[in-house]
Amino acid sequence: MLKRIPHTYTIISSVILICAVLSWIIPAGEYVRQTIEVNGVPRTVIVDHSFHSVPQAPQTWQVFSSLLNGFERQAGIIAFLLIMGGAFQIMNSSRAIDAGIFSFLGFTKGLERYRFIKMLGVNNVVIGLIITLFSLFGAVFGMSEETLAFVIILVPLAISMGYDSITGLCMVYVAAHIGFSGAVLNPFTIGIAQGLSDLPLFSGFEYRMFCWVILTGVLIVCVLKYASVIKKHPEKSPMYHADAYWRKRGEGVSEEISYATTRSAYVVYALVLVALTFFSLYYPQSTFSLGESAVTCYAVPFLSALFALFAGLGLRKSNHFFILTLLAFTILFLIVGVMAHGWYLPEISAIFLAMGVLSGFANSEHPDAIIKQFLDGAKDMLSAALVVALAGGIIQILQDGRIIDPILHSLASLMGETGKFVSLGTMYFIQTLINLIIPSGSAKAALTMPIMAPFSDVIGLSRQATVMAYQFGDGFTNMITPTSAVLMGALGIARIPYQVWVRWFWRILVFFMLLGLLLLIPTVVFTLNGF
C-alpha cells in the first residue's frame, strides 16, 4: 500500500523552507546583466564571465512573507484565475455549457454511422483532434496561461464522455505544453533563444516540426491508452472519488434544461453587435507572423460578421446556444488577439469577464444575482490562487537569497571538457534542472543562452542543437514543477491535488524526457537543414 502523499500546501511550503536553508549553505553570487534588443524587444541577459561573489543573504523570517511576495509576483495570474472562475460561474448558472456538452455528445454519437470513424472510435478521434489543436497552439504561439480558460470547459467534457479530470487536463494543458516543448514558431522560447544565439529567426524549422509531430503523436497514444482503461474501469482513476463533483454537476442535464429565448438575449445581441462594430474599427487589420513571413487580413471584421450570423441562428434555438456562441467567438477573438495583437492576461481576462457578464444578462439574471454568481466562482478559485502564490514565494526566496545565479554557474561548470554528446546531454540536464526553479521560458533563455551558445562554439556543437536542448529542457518539466503558476492554476481549476498529479504523471514525464534526449542525437550525428 502506497504511503499517503502530503497535501499540496505542505509540499510547496516544504520547498520554500528547503530554499531558505540553501540560502545559508550555498555561497551567494551574481552575474552582471545588461539589456540588449532581441528581435526588436529589450531583453536582460548575462554578461560573459561576469559571475562574482556577493554578500550572503540568508533567508529566515522571509519564509513567512513569501506568501505575500508570491501574491505580488503572481498577481496577474491570480487575478486572472479569480476572474475566470467568476465569469464561468455566471455562464455555468445558465446551464449553457452543460447544454453544449450534451449537444456535442449527441453529435458525436451520430458520427458512428461512418464506418471509418466507428472503427477508430468517435471519442478517440475527438481526443486526438483536441490534443493536436492545443499542441499546435503551444508550438506556434506559446499557449500557456491561455490554457486555463479551456481547462474549465474540457474537464467537464471529458467527464461527460466517460473519462476523468486527468484525461481532460491532458487534452488541453498537457497538450499545449508538449507543443510548447516541441516549439516550432514559439516567439517566447525559440524566438528569444535563437535571437540571443545570433541565429536566423525560426531557422531549423523542418527538424523542429518533425520533433513536434513525434511528441504530439506519442502524447495522443499515451492519453488514448489511459482513457480506454478509465472508460472500461472508471474506478481505476486516481480521481474517481474526487470527480464526483463534475459527475454530479452533469447529472440530468437533458431533463433539467428548459430551452427558450428571452427578450434580454436579443438586447445583449444588439449591444454586442454595436461593440463589435467599434472593435472592428479599432482593429481593422490583423497581422499574423509565422516565422519570417507575415499575413495581414481583416480578421476582426470577418469574425464580427460571422458572430452576427451564428449568434442570430443561436437565438432562434435558445438562450443556451446564443451564450455558447458568445463563448465560441470569445475564444476565436482571443486567438486573434494573442497571435496578431500581442494580447496577454489583461486583455484575455477582460474579454472573458465581458463574456460572463453578458451571459448573465442574456439569461435574464438580475445584476445582484450575477454578482453573487461571480463571487461564488471566484471563491472556488481561491484555493488555486493560494497555491499559485506559494509557488511564487519559492522564486522570491531563491532570488532574495541570491542563490539562483550560483546554481546556474555551478551547473554550467559541469560541462567542463566533455565531448559533444555528453555536453549536449549535460546542457539538456542543466536546462531541465533550472526549469524547476525558473519556469519562465523567456527568462531562462536570457539567463542561459549567453553562456551555452558560446560554449557550443568551443566544443564544435551546433548552436541550433544548443537551442533545442534549451527548448526540451524548458518545456517538459513545466508540467510537474511546483513553481509553475500555470500548472498550479490548471490543477486548481480541474480540482486535481498536486500530489495526485505527481504520482500519476511522473512516469510519462520521464518517458518524454528520454524521448527528448533521443531527438537531440540527430542534431549531432546528421547534417540537418538549419543546423
Side-chain angles (χ1 to χ4, degrees), residues 305-348:
L306 283 181
F307 173 82
L309 172 63
F310 286 103
L313 294 174
L315 284 170
R316 296 180 63 181
K317 298 185 71 174
S318 74
N319 284 354
H320 308 90
F321 291 95
F322 171 69
I323 293 172
L324 286 173
T325 305
L326 271 178
L327 172 62
F329 277 86
T330 297
I331 292 170
L332 291 174
F333 280 114
L334 178 151
I335 293 170
V336 171
V338 169
M339 294 188 67
H341 300 287
W343 285 9
Y344 193 50
L345 293 181
E347 295 84 0
I348 296 171

Side-chain angles (χ1 to χ4, degrees), residues 174-213:
V174 175
H177 283 78
I178 286 295
F180 200 93
S181 303
V184 179
L185 300 170
N186 185 349
F188 304 109
T189 56
I190 294 299
I192 294 174
Q194 287 186 328
L196 293 172
S197 302
D198 295 323
L199 292 169
L201 193 62
F202 303 121
S203 53
F205 170 88
E206 297 85 356
Y207 185 65
R208 287 203 311 279
M209 188 68 180
F210 169 78
C211 292
W212 174 77
V213 170

Side-chain angles (χ1 to χ4, degrees), residues 93-418:
S93 298
S94 72
R95 304 305 297 270
I97 292 179
D98 292 336
I101 290 174
F102 180 77
S103 178
F104 175 79
L105 294 177
F107 170 76
T108 57
K109 287 179 181 177
L111 294 176
E112 292 180 353
R113 66 179 181 270
Y114 298 105
R115 183 178 301 177
F116 178 70
I117 294 180
K118 186 176 182 179
M119 181 181 67
L120 292 175
V122 174
N123 286 355
N124 292 341
V125 173
V126 170
I127 291 174
L129 289 176
I130 292 175
I131 288 175
T132 301
L133 178 66
F134 281 98
S135 180
L136 186 64
F137 287 161
V140 172
F141 68 89
M143 173 178 270
S144 182
E145 289 89 349
E146 297 86 352
T147 57
L148 299 177
F150 298 93
V151 171
I152 204 168
I153 301 171
L154 289 178
V155 167
L157 174 62
I159 300 291
S160 300
M161 292 168 69
Y163 304 116
D164 63 353
S165 52
I166 289 177
T167 305
L169 194 68
C170 288
M171 288 163 62
V172 52
Y173 172 81
V174 175
H177 283 78
I178 286 295
F180 200 93
S181 303
V184 179
L185 300 170
N186 185 349
F188 304 109
T189 56
I190 294 299
I192 294 174
Q194 287 186 328
L196 293 172
S197 302
D198 295 323
L199 292 169
L201 193 62
F202 303 121
S203 53
F205 170 88
E206 297 85 356
Y207 185 65
R208 287 203 311 279
M209 188 68 180
F210 169 78
C211 292
W212 174 77
V213 170
I214 295 295
L215 293 171
T216 304
V218 169
L219 177 63
I220 291 173
V221 171
C222 290
V223 174
L224 289 181
K225 183 178 179 181
Y226 171 75
S228 66
V229 173
I230 300 304
K231 185 80 169 179
K232 295 175 184 175
H233 306 284
E235 70 280 357
K236 289 188 176 181
S237 167
M239 289 296 296
Y240 178 69
H241 296 291
D243 282 344
Y245 166 83
W246 299 108
R247 289 193 295 270
K248 183 179 179 181
R249 206 182 77 169
E251 286 177 356
V253 170
S254 59
E255 293 79 8
E256 294 177 9
I257 293 178
S258 176
Y259 294 94
T261 303
T262 59
R263 184 180 300 174
S264 58
Y266 284 100
V267 174
V268 170
Y269 175 59
L271 290 174
V272 173
L273 290 183
V274 171
L276 287 180
T277 300
F278 286 104
F279 198 46
S280 299
L281 293 174
Y282 190 78
Y283 291 113
Q285 292 184 322
S286 301
T287 301
F288 298 85
S289 299
L290 297 173
E292 296 182 337
S293 60
V295 177
T296 300
C297 60
Y298 299 95
V300 173
F302 177 70
L303 287 179
S304 299
L306 283 181
F307 173 82
L309 172 63
F310 286 103
L313 294 174
L315 284 170
R316 296 180 63 181
K317 298 185 71 174
S318 74
N319 284 354
H320 308 90
F321 291 95
F322 171 69
I323 293 172
L324 286 173
T325 305
L326 271 178
L327 172 62
F329 277 86
T330 297
I331 292 170
L332 291 174
F333 280 114
L334 178 151
I335 293 170
V336 171
V338 169
M339 294 188 67
H341 300 287
W343 285 9
Y344 193 50
L345 293 181
E347 295 84 0
I348 296 171
S349 61
I351 194 172
F352 274 103
L353 178 58
M355 175 207 70
V357 172
L358 291 171
S359 297
F361 283 120
N363 200 43
S364 300
E365 297 281 3
H366 190 275
D368 287 349
I370 293 175
I371 291 172
K372 183 179 183 304
Q373 291 159 8
F374 180 87
L375 292 176
D376 288 342
K379 190 187 303 180
D380 284 343
M381 289 294 105
L382 185 58
S383 178
L386 286 171
V387 173
V388 170
L390 282 170
I394 296 173
I395 306 298
Q396 194 68 43
I397 291 292
L398 289 170
Q399 282 189 344
D400 292 347
R402 299 179 181 178
I403 58 175
I404 286 184
D405 285 3
I407 292 172
L408 174 62
H409 180 70
S410 299
L411 291 173
S413 302
L414 287 176
M415 289 183 286
E417 300 296 327
T418 57

Side-chain angles (χ1 to χ4, degrees), residues 397-466:
I397 291 292
L398 289 170
Q399 282 189 344
D400 292 347
R402 299 179 181 178
I403 58 175
I404 286 184
D405 285 3
I407 292 172
L408 174 62
H409 180 70
S410 299
L411 291 173
S413 302
L414 287 176
M415 289 183 286
E417 300 296 327
T418 57
K420 292 182 182 180
F421 285 108
V422 177
S423 291
L424 186 59
T426 304
M427 287 180 184
Y428 178 36
F429 174 72
I430 288 171
Q431 296 286 6
T432 298
L433 286 181
I434 293 174
N435 197 54
L436 294 174
I437 56 176
I438 309 176
S440 169
S442 55
K444 191 158 51 274
L447 282 171
T448 61
M449 295 316 296
I451 297 173
M452 302 296 186
F455 180 78
S456 64
D457 295 338
V458 173
I459 62 175
L461 190 66
S462 165
R463 288 195 173 196
Q464 290 282 19
T466 304

